[in-house]
Amino acid sequence: MAAYIEKFVRRVMSPLLYISSRERLQEFLSNYEPGVLGFFEFNASPQPPGYMTYFKSALHSLQNDYLGTIRFGVITDRKVAKEISLGNPGSIYLHRNLNSSLVYPDKEMNFTAANICKWALDNRENLIYWLRPHGGKSLLLHNELKKGPALFMFIPYNPLAEKQPLLHEIAEVALQYNSCSKSLPVNDDHDQKQVQDRKTSSDTDSHNTGRFSCCNTVVLPQWHLMSRIHNICELCVNQSAGIRPSKVYMHRCNFLDIEAALDSFYLKEHSFMGFLSKFRECSNFPSFYSPYNHYTACCQTLSRELIASSSFLQNTRVLPSSNGKNFKEELTHLVPHIEEKTLLSPSYHISGNSITGLSCRTNKTLNLYLLDSNLSWIYAERLGAAGSASGKEFAAIVDLKEEVHYILNHWQPLIKPNLEAFIQNYSKVYSPLQRHLVGDSPPHVSSQQLITEVTSSTFYPVVLESKKDVLLVYYTTWCGFCAALNHVFIRLAQLLATDSLIVTRINIAHNDLPWQFMVDRVPTILLFPQNRKDHSVKYPEDQQITLPNLLKFILKHASLPSTASDPPSSCPEHFFQYREHHVSYLERQMQRLRAEIEVLHQAQDVLRSHISNARKNTQDLKVQKEKLEQHNKALELHKEHLQVLYEQKQREVGTMADKLTELAAASQSLLAENAMLKFLMISLESKSKSKPEIEGGANADEENSSAPKNTDLSDSDSVTGTLSSELTKENTTE
């Protein structure tokens, strides 16, 4: 919405508020939202050291917490800073209303914007939590309800308004409700004369230095089962005032201190049970955790009658004994409930109409939540708000564990007195508030309607106050079985369309009923007899919801009409005629029912035959499936065998190919050698033919010269030897 966007933009543009006076500081601290203050002096430079880091931390806070519930401020005056114990420039202070305020530990953590933002978010204190559901499916409300009882307050919130009077009143109520800082000191004025002689010197010294205490009264177990004597001890956590912390770290009484004191006390419990004294006996024992703290136990012997007397209860706040130990005799009838106002110490002055510290005085502590009714009014209507509520103001308490739901009356405005009374009534041991039943609006009733729709508002007049037998069916819209059985109930209403029985139904998902009329399953059928509404009968869960079974159930438990044979004195003539028509009508209806039953039996037989055939087919399919699986396995084995043979043959073919390749190479070399031999043979033949011619020429020339003749002969011999050697080599090669 535009108002929220504008507020966010303004916070981003001005993330820091400048505190220049005590009035501005008081106004800043009086706000219910947690606040962070930083002290920076702007004397020397326009931006003191650490100021920009602090400025960025405010922007980091807006980024992490977009709702802007933490406010950041800057103090520029040293005098104003001293009001919250800030003396050094650059110090950062986190204000908290209930617990002790904190100063940023710059020695333990680095001074960065992310650390400052994380420190503020982790240690902030929220009195009221803002919830802004986005309208879609989420677990926001469920996660908050799991934390405990919740008080939801719907108010028309304007984020741009400077003053919010209604929000201011709600914040005051939240602050008073959670203010648990008042301790219960030991009342040493009681029996002062008797106690003064028995006090130790250390106890006297502690009174001289001053102290503040957190106290609880413990009732010790009785000495014997038949004994009527108890020892009552008032256990206190004491601390000297000389070591009281500063304003920022102000000591507060908390449950951790009391728990530690009880643990130490129960270890010495037998020593406090073994004495008998009519006066208060006090003793001190040190703490386990701190050398400055010590525990004081002041005990006194009282009889059971004195414990139960009103004078003792008005002056003592009693707790159960022995840290929750179980004893054979119950002491609840002796010790009133801790939540009753009569158990408070007289020093703890709280009026009967005040809610101050009520969250710590009851076991039904509420978590307070705010919702903008302009955005989330649909949730208020679901919780029980009227659609025409004036001003859209509404408050409701929801306890998920106890499954209770209370709303503030619509005619009461949402102001501080009404809100305080609403919280007080819820916190009482026996709350006078009435559980609110959420239900739909009553539907329009038609004269031709066979089944009557019941809501939370019409349950009592239609079901419980009716002078007829009422058959009530519990259903929901998401229940598929309920929708499947609608025709059965419609047929039942048609058959039993008399003035003595009403068939009704209720949607329990949208309508709440008192606990004694709720069910844990749907569909559920209850019969409320005519004259015995408190003896309602539930339809057996082990029986099927059929028309014959429903008729037997109704005829067995319903209030049957009178069967007297004598006609009424007012109309004797028409009585017999009416009875004859009624008997004939019932006979026709019975014949029709028998015919329907016969048809149903036939259909059942046909269905059984179909089911048997389907089972046979299923069995056959299973057998065929097993055969196919076996055949598939055989094929797989054959495939593996063929794969092995294929690989073996492939290896053999490779070996033969290698051999053929070698033979081809050898044949090529032989062919080459054969060609060479042919060439040599041709050359030899040509030489052999030319030899006679050479010899004839040689004889003719013998006469001319003998020397040349010898030379020619030698040449021929050399050629002949060469040829013969070549032939020899060729023969060897072949």
Side-chain angles (χ1 to χ4, degrees):
M1 296 181 66
Y4 283 94
I5 297 175
E6 183 176 350
K7 179 185 178 181
F8 176 75
V9 172
R10 289 180 181 273
R11 291 289 292 268
V12 174
M13 295 173 62
S14 301
L16 300 179
L17 299 176
Y18 289 92
I19 310 299
S20 57
S21 62
R22 295 183 179 179
E23 291 75 13
R24 294 289 301 274
L25 177 63
Q26 183 67 26
E27 182 181 357
F28 184 86
L29 298 180
S30 62
N31 197 295
Y32 73 97
E33 295 178 346
V36 179
L37 289 171
F39 172 45
F40 298 95
E41 289 183 335
F42 291 83
N43 298 330
S45 62
Q47 293 183 359
Y51 173 74
M52 290 304 299
T53 303
Y54 181 67
F55 185 87
K56 292 178 182 178
S57 67
L59 295 178
H60 275 288
S61 175
L62 286 177
Q63 181 180 359
N64 296 328
D65 187 7
Y66 67 95
L67 300 179
T69 55
I70 297 182
R71 298 167 299 111
F72 283 76
V74 175
I75 299 177
T76 58
D77 191 354
R78 183 177 291 272
K79 295 181 179 179
V80 179
K82 287 184 178 179
E83 295 292 331
I84 55 174
S85 303
L86 294 181
N88 298 325
S91 302
I92 300 176
Y93 170 88
L94 175 62
H95 175 68
R96 299 193 294 185
N97 293 297
L98 300 179
N99 298 305
S100 301
S101 300
L102 303 176
V103 174
Y104 182 76
D106 52 357
K107 295 182 179 180
E108 290 81 7
M109 301 176 62
N110 294 329
F111 195 83
T112 61
N115 286 344
I116 295 173
C117 178
K118 183 178 182 301
W119 172 75
L121 291 175
D122 293 343
N123 296 282
R124 63 179 173 176
E125 178 187 72
N126 287 329
L127 299 176
I128 310 174
Y129 297 90
W130 273 100
L131 295 180
R132 291 184 174 90
H134 54 73
K137 191 173 183 178
S138 68
L139 296 176
L140 175 63
L141 296 178
H142 178 70
N143 293 334
E144 297 299 330
L145 287 174
K146 288 194 301 184
K147 298 177 182 178
L151 172 59
F152 295 103
M153 292 168 285
F154 295 81
I155 61 173
Y157 178 69
N158 183 11
L160 300 179
E162 296 182 359
K163 294 183 178 181
Q164 303 279 355
L166 180 57
L167 184 59
H168 182 69
E169 288 188 5
I170 295 175
E172 288 183 357
V173 173
L175 181 60
Q176 294 178 6
Y177 179 71
N178 292 283
S179 296
C180 307
S181 60
K182 292 185 178 182
S183 61
L184 302 176
V186 180
N187 187 9
D188 291 335
D189 296 334
H190 179 68
D191 295 337
Q192 186 175 3
K193 294 181 180 180
Q194 293 82 354
V195 177
Q196 186 174 3
D197 298 335
R198 297 173 174 84
K199 286 187 177 179
T200 61
S201 59
S202 60
D203 191 20
T204 306
D205 295 337
S206 65
H207 274 284
N208 295 333
T209 57
R211 68 183 182 182
F212 54 92
S213 309
C214 300
C215 301
N216 271 319
T217 302
V218 182
V219 179
L220 294 177
Q222 57 200 37
W223 292 4
H224 191 267
L225 293 178
M226 301 301 295
S227 176
R228 304 180 64 85
I229 296 177
H230 291 264
N231 285 342
I232 309 298
C233 295
E234 192 169 33
L235 180 64
C236 299
V237 181
N238 299 322
Q239 185 179 24
S240 62
I243 59 171
R244 181 175 297 180
S246 61
K247 296 180 181 179
V248 177
Y249 299 96
M250 183 63 66
H251 177 80
R252 301 290 178 90
C253 180
N254 54 53
F255 291 110
L256 296 178
D257 296 338
I258 293 297
E259 183 67 21
L262 290 174
D263 291 339
S264 301
F265 176 76
Y266 293 139
L267 295 177
K268 303 178 177 61
E269 181 178 359
H270 293 287
S271 61
F272 293 99
M273 292 175 55
F275 76 96
L276 179 63
S277 176
K278 296 182 179 180
F279 309 105
R280 297 179 65 187
E281 297 283 349
C282 297
S283 62
N284 299 328
F285 51 96
S287 170
F288 290 130
Y289 305 104
S290 175
Y292 305 104
N293 292 358
H294 65 276
Y295 304 141
T296 300
C298 297
C299 301
Q300 182 180 355
T301 304
L302 296 174
S303 63
R304 182 179 299 182
E305 291 81 3
L306 183 56
I307 296 177
S309 64
S310 60
S311 61
F312 174 77
L313 293 176
Q314 291 177 357
N315 297 319
T316 310
R317 192 169 74 94
V318 182
L319 286 178
S321 65
S322 298
N323 199 17
K325 296 179 182 177
N326 295 325
F327 295 95
K328 295 183 179 180
E329 184 172 350
E330 189 69 32
L331 298 178
T332 54
H333 64 283
L334 304 178
V335 182
H337 200 279
I338 189 174
E339 298 173 2
E340 297 295 340
K341 63 182 180 179
T342 57
L343 299 179
L344 294 174
S345 173
S347 60
Y348 197 56
H349 299 287
I350 298 177
S351 62
N353 297 326
S354 175
I355 64 168
T356 304
L358 186 58
S359 63
C360 300
R361 294 185 281 114
T362 179
N363 289 330
K364 299 191 292 185
T365 304
L366 289 169
N367 297 319
L368 308 182
Y369 298 97
L370 280 174
L371 293 94
D372 188 358
S373 57
N374 297 324
L375 302 176
S376 307
W377 187 248
I378 184 175
Y379 300 99
E381 292 179 347
R382 189 67 184 91
L383 289 174
S388 60
S390 59
K392 288 189 176 182
E393 298 176 0
F394 177 71
I397 295 176
V398 179
D399 190 348
L400 199 62
K401 181 179 179 180
E402 299 296 333
E403 297 184 2
V404 292
H405 175 202
Y406 308 109
I407 65 172
L408 187 65
N409 292 330
H410 300 291
W411 52 269
Q412 292 181 348
L414 189 62
I415 57 178
K416 183 178 179 181
N418 295 337
L419 193 59
E420 289 180 350
F422 187 46
I423 296 175
Q424 284 180 332
N425 289 332
Y426 170 76
S427 302
K428 290 182 178 180
V429 180
Y430 302 101
S431 176
L433 298 177
Q434 297 294 328
R435 175 173 172 258
H436 178 71
L437 302 178
V438 178
D440 296 332
S441 58
H444 176 69
V445 180
S446 175
S447 58
Q448 300 179 354
Q449 190 172 0
L450 295 175
I451 301 177
T452 304
E453 191 74 23
V454 179
T455 61
S456 299
S457 58
T458 61
F459 176 76
Y460 277 94
V462 174
V463 177
L464 298 182
E465 298 178 0
S466 175
K467 300 300 182 181
K468 303 177 182 179
D469 296 327
V470 180
L471 185 71
L472 181 62
V473 181
Y474 293 83
Y475 79 100
T476 59
T477 55
W478 45 262
C479 174
F481 297 101
C482 304
L485 294 173
N486 284 337
H487 70 283
V488 177
F489 298 111
I490 293 175
R491 185 60 179 164
L492 179 67
Q494 292 175 349
L495 294 176
L496 301 178
T498 61
D499 295 336
S500 61
L501 179 67
I502 304 176
V503 180
T504 62
R505 69 173 188 171
I506 183 170
N507 186 355
I508 59 173
H510 294 166
N511 298 274
D512 295 336
L513 293 178
W515 297 124
Q516 61 269 27
F517 300 110
M518 291 299 292
V519 296
D520 57 351
R521 55 175 290 177
V522 287
T524 298
I525 303 172
L526 291 182
L527 177 65
F528 295 86
Q530 177 179 355
N531 299 322
R532 297 173 286 112
K533 298 293 184 180
D534 54 339
H535 293 166
S536 58
V537 184
K538 183 179 179 181
Y539 186 82
E541 297 179 358
D542 56 348
Q543 288 188 7
Q544 294 183 358
I545 303 178
T546 59
L547 190 60
N549 291 339
L550 285 174
L551 288 173
K552 293 178 182 178
F553 172 73
I554 294 173
L555 294 176
K556 179 179 179 181
H557 300 286
S559 300
L560 298 177
S562 177
T563 58
S565 59
D566 297 333
S569 58
S570 57
C571 51
E573 298 178 357
H574 302 282
F575 175 74
F576 295 104
Q577 184 179 0
Y578 169 76
R579 188 172 63 178
E580 291 177 357
H581 287 300
H582 188 64
V583 170
S584 61
Y585 171 76
L586 290 178
E587 289 178 352
R588 289 194 303 270
Q589 295 298 329
M590 291 178 64
Q591 292 177 0
R592 184 182 301 177
L593 287 176
R594 288 171 182 170
E596 291 181 357
I597 292 173
E598 185 66 24
V599 172
L600 290 176
H601 284 308
Q602 294 176 0
Q604 186 178 8
D605 295 337
V606 174
L607 184 61
R608 286 178 179 174
S609 63
H610 288 323
I611 291 174
S612 62
N613 294 332
R615 289 177 178 174
K616 291 179 181 179
N617 295 333
T618 304
Q619 188 67 25
D620 295 339
L621 290 175
K622 287 182 179 179
V623 174
Q624 293 179 4
K625 181 181 178 182
E626 292 177 356
K627 291 181 179 180
L628 290 175
E629 289 179 352
Q630 294 177 358
H631 185 64
N632 188 19
K633 290 180 180 179
L635 291 177
E636 291 289 337
L637 295 175
H638 187 63
K639 178 182 177 182
E640 294 178 356
H641 180 66
L642 291 178
Q643 185 69 22
V644 173
L645 292 177
Y646 172 75
E647 293 177 355
Q648 183 179 359
K649 295 296 182 182
Q650 191 174 9
R651 288 194 299 270
E652 293 177 356
V653 169
T655 305
M656 295 297 296
D658 294 339
K659 291 181 179 181
L660 290 175
T661 303
E662 293 178 357
L663 290 175
S667 64
Q668 288 181 359
S669 64
L670 290 175
L671 289 175
E673 292 176 355
N674 189 17
M676 182 63 68
L677 288 175
K678 287 181 179 181
F679 178 74
L680 291 175
M681 291 297 294
I682 293 172
S683 62
L684 289 176
E685 289 178 357
S686 62
K687 288 180 180 181
S688 63
K689 288 181 180 182
S690 61
K691 183 176 180 181
E693 296 178 357
I694 295 171
E695 291 179 354
N699 295 326
D701 292 337
E702 284 180 357
E703 297 177 356
N704 296 327
S705 178
S706 57
K709 180 179 179 181
N710 296 330
T711 305
D712 294 336
L713 290 173
S714 62
D715 292 337
S716 62
D717 293 335
S718 62
V719 170
T720 304
T722 303
L723 290 173
S724 62
S725 62
E726 289 178 358
L727 288 173
T728 304
K729 291 179 180 180
E730 293 294 337
N731 293 331
T732 304
T733 304
E734 188 177 0

